[in-house]
Amino acid sequence: GAGVSQSPRYKVAKRGQDVALRCDPISGHVSLFWYQQALGQGPEFLTYFQNEAQLDKSGLPSDRFFAERPEGSVSTLKIQRTQQEDSAVYLCASSPPVRDEQYFGPGTRLTVT
Amino acid sequence: QKEVEQDPGPLSVPEGAIVSLNCTYSNSAFQYFMWYRQYSRKGPELLMYTYSSGNKEDGRFTAQVDKSSKYISLFIRDSQPSDSATYLCAMSRGGFKTIFGAGTRLFVKA
């Protein structure tokens, strides 16, 4: 079946612009995760949803970062007033019910100039 | 000190070699241990998933967990050039928050 999809795959934003990154999880997966991956580093946890409920947002680096999953399926990660340090790959992952394995999308590479 | 430590490499081996990749961790509450493979400009792909201590084998891959030493390993037998990628260890207490290592870059030379 279809895997996790993310769009756009690449995004270039000028400093100060707002961006919205989309994640479409695997059908039937109730858990959804967002990660930030800097060059040469492992993914860093940002936030977690179970269905539409955001159960943990402790990894969001500032209040400029906001995530939502209003209908328990597609999720959007929004970054307001982007800064150069926001440049990274943003990965989305989903996992099936009662399982811990996470299945990742290809990521969105954000470059802030 | 990071919760999960992983040597970034790069590790270069000839085709057919046995590869050993390792991670150490500090949080004794971790119960679930995973290895992911990440090719350049792709998302991580789950390779192995284990619970608590012990070994797990899947084809050419063997994962080992030693909770007493807080040490996990991934062995790749008969390595192939297509195994060239970054290997990420990851672990969690169960539930949702997963902590990843920085990844080890592996090159398998034909």
Side-chain angles (χ1 to χ4, degrees):
Chain A
V4 178
S5 61
Q6 293 187 245
S7 61
R9 290 294 314 279
Y10 302 91
K11 177 70 179 177
V12 179
K14 290 191 187 320
R15 190 159 57 100
Q17 282 185 332
D18 298 349
V19 298
L21 313 179
R22 176 188 168 105
C23 172
D24 209 330
I26 294 171
S27 178
H29 282 197
V30 300
S31 300
L32 185 145
F33 307 80
W34 283 99
Y35 292 86
Q36 181 189 62
Q37 187 174 26
L39 191 63
Q41 298 297 315
E44 295 272 350
F45 173 84
L46 292 178
T47 187
Y48 159 73
F49 290 86
Q50 189 168 59
N51 295 305
E52 68 278 3
Q54 188 174 20
L55 298 187
D56 189 332
K57 53 182 181 180
S58 62
L60 296 176
S62 78
D63 59 7
R64 296 185 296 103
F65 288 71
F66 172 77
E68 60 183 4
R69 193 186 184 198
E71 296 177 359
S73 180
V74 171
S75 177
T76 303
L77 176 67
K78 297 179 179 178
I79 309 173
Q80 297 177 322
R81 304 181 303 282
T82 52
Q83 304 294 315
Q84 281 195 310
E85 62 263 27
D86 300 335
S87 296
V89 174
Y90 290 85
L91 293 163
C92 175
S94 67
S95 62
V98 202
R99 301 285 292 275
D100 277 336
E101 306 103 287
Q102 295 179 30
Y103 297 86
F104 282 81
T108 294
R109 183 175 297 271
L110 173 65
T111 303
V112 182
T113 61
Chain B
Q1 183 187 7
K2 291 185 178 181
E3 277 190 288
V4 179
E5 298 279 358
Q6 185 175 10
D7 187 336
L11 179 62
S12 184
V13 301
E15 183 175 359
I18 296 175
V19 176
S20 172
L21 303 166
N22 312 291
C23 287
T24 59
Y25 62 95
S26 57
N27 189 343
S28 58
F30 287 139
Q31 297 282 347
Y32 298 88
F33 303 90
M34 293 142 284
W35 285 94
Y36 286 83
R37 178 175 61 196
Q38 187 172 27
Y39 292 112
S40 181
R41 298 186 179 270
K42 302 286 187 185
E45 171 194 8
L46 181 65
L47 282 177
M48 300 289 282
Y49 176 84
T50 55
Y51 170 70
S52 196
S53 285
N55 293 357
K56 184 175 182 179
E57 188 172 321
D58 184 0
R60 295 185 296 113
F61 299 92
T62 299
Q64 287 185 351
V65 176
D66 182 349
K67 290 189 69 180
S68 63
S69 301
K70 298 192 182 67
Y71 188 88
I72 69 170
S73 301
L74 178 71
F75 298 94
I76 307 174
R77 290 182 297 280
D78 187 25
S79 55
Q80 303 295 310
S82 58
D83 294 328
S84 298
T86 296
Y87 289 80
L88 298 155
C89 64
M91 47 200 79
S92 78
R93 295 181 297 168
F96 44 84
K97 191 164 183 175
T98 300
I99 307 298
F100 283 80
T104 299
R105 293 187 68 190
L106 172 66
F107 295 95
V108 181
K109 299 171 293 185

